[in-house]
Amino acid sequence: MTSSPPRRGLLCAAGLVSNFDRFSIAPMLVLIGAALHVPLGTAAAAASAYTLGYGLAQPAWGMASDRFGRVRVMRLSLAAASLGALSSAVAPGAVSLVVARGLTGACFAAAIAGSLTYVGDTVAPAERHRALGSLMSAFALGTALATVVAGALAHWVSWRLVFALPGLIAACLALALRRLPEPALAPREGGALRTAVRSRWQWYVMGVALLEGGVLLGCFTYLPPALESLGAAPGTAGAVAALYGVAAMGGAQLVRRTARHLGPVALIVLGGTQVTLAYGVAAVHPSLVTLGLGAVLLGGGWAFLHSTVQAWATLLVPQARASGIALFGVALYLGSALGTELASGPAQQGGFQALFGAAAALAIPLTAAAAYGRRRYGRDRDGGGGGDGGMPGSAPAAPRALSADGPQAVRPPCGRPPA
């Protein structure tokens, strides 16, 4: 049997606190720079270090998860992340903050990937997109709370408190997750990472994720600083950026209801169109209204585009799913770190229009590559080409969820039964 709703909700909580910690820094960059007497580009290095550590640690956590179990690894990750977050809160200077944020990102890396893998192990492919939608809603809530709470607390209390909060919550979750049942691990031939990298579709999806990370995550980091450059207070900038999380939550619910009718390719195109429009309006005339509209469109784009590509990633290598999703995460967050770092120069010079214009231009090939690849994968797979769309190195996904008790009833996480 699957775990009870409160226990499934632990997956949502783990992803929520991970996203809160990751997105909280954006509305605080200007304040951190001022407090530590460093320019915006140096403060942004803490965000880059976080996403770089987050991405590079994914394979290690993925291999450990495939070998030792999903829940055990998530608990270890959260316990270590709590120490990293608390270290960030007491960092005395810019260098120590960058190091602490990098370590914290590396430790939080297993939370969301582990939740996604758990869904892949316990929810049948036909219901997986809906189940992932439940997780995406929780992740988006973490993003929304991060931008609102971080901006307000940093302005009225201290940015150090913002780093301490997820550390304390992560420590509590590391203990609470012991109640979550451990799913049975799928048998595989050879090492999990070796199994995953043999899939050519795995590499294709990683390429899409790399570009997606740079465009969607890397450039979004500079939305609050762009607002502050227009005279907005950190709290106001955080509140406007929070529209991203609110829109992502609403978009996730919409995706849950329309996924079966529209299909993955249409969802990708709709998501990519929103991302292109978001950065386009911000580039043409940056203002409180256009940047707020951009945040809404980016949130919707993330819900439609990213959740579909992420669901695609869970299908590629079912016999080494944790390692496959980990590699997907490496590409996504490596792209995010590169995007943040490459955009720091224009942002430091106040060139936000050029920055957002470049992001809008890159969103077009991102959408085209994701839509073409997903269409090709689905066509070849439906045509009998195997789980890897006719490419070697992947097997079809299992039709039913597995547990230590054998086949089990399928339920999405967060307490929502399938329709």
Side-chain angles (χ1 to χ4, degrees), residues 121-212:
D121 288 340
T122 58
V123 178
E127 297 294 336
R128 194 169 294 155
H129 206 137
R130 290 172 56 82
L132 289 174
S134 297
L135 286 181
M136 292 295 291
S137 295
F139 301 165
L141 177 60
T143 303
L145 289 174
T147 49
V148 172
V149 172
L153 283 182
H155 181 67
W156 296 109
V157 186
S158 171
W159 57 267
R160 296 183 184 276
L161 179 60
V162 177
F163 289 142
L165 282 176
L168 296 174
I169 298 172
C172 295
L173 283 172
L175 295 175
L177 277 170
R178 68 182 184 275
R179 296 181 293 156
L180 195 67
E182 186 76 71
L185 300 179
R188 63 181 186 276
E189 297 179 2
L193 188 60
R194 183 185 308 172
T195 301
V197 298
R198 283 203 301 259
S199 167
R200 290 168 60 190
W201 274 118
Q202 177 74 45
W203 288 99
Y204 186 94
V205 173
M206 286 169 61
V208 171
L210 181 74
L211 185 55
E212 181 191 18

Side-chain angles (χ1 to χ4, degrees), residues 223 226 230 275-287 289-295 297-298 352-357 359-360:
L223 188 66
L230 299 175
V275 174
T276 304
L277 291 174
Y279 285 123
V281 297
V284 171
H285 181 66
S287 67
V289 173
T290 57
L291 291 175
L293 176 60
L297 290 171
L298 283 175
F352 293 105
Q353 284 184 276
L355 190 162
F356 295 141

Side-chain angles (χ1 to χ4, degrees), residues 90-102:
V90 298
V95 174
S96 57
L97 179 63
V98 169
V99 172
R101 295 311 291 162

Side-chain angles (χ1 to χ4, degrees), residues 245-274:
V246 174
M249 289 175 60
Q253 296 303 313
L254 190 57
V255 168
R256 282 169 56 86
R257 291 176 171 81
T258 60
R260 287 187 176 180
H261 303 290
L262 294 178
V265 176
L267 292 174
I268 287 171
V269 172
L270 287 172
T273 300
Q274 291 178 76

Side-chain angles (χ1 to χ4, degrees), residues 34-91:
L36 300 180
H37 308 291
V38 295
L40 177 62
T42 302
S48 298
Y50 188 100
T51 51
L52 186 61
Y54 195 101
L56 294 179
Q58 297 279 340
W61 290 122
M63 288 186 289
S65 179
D66 278 330
R67 182 170 182 178
F68 301 112
R70 317 306 190 200
V71 179
R72 185 179 302 174
V73 167
M74 278 194 289
R75 292 185 64 198
L76 176 62
S77 167
L78 288 167
S82 68
L83 297 177
L86 294 174
S87 298
S88 302
V90 298

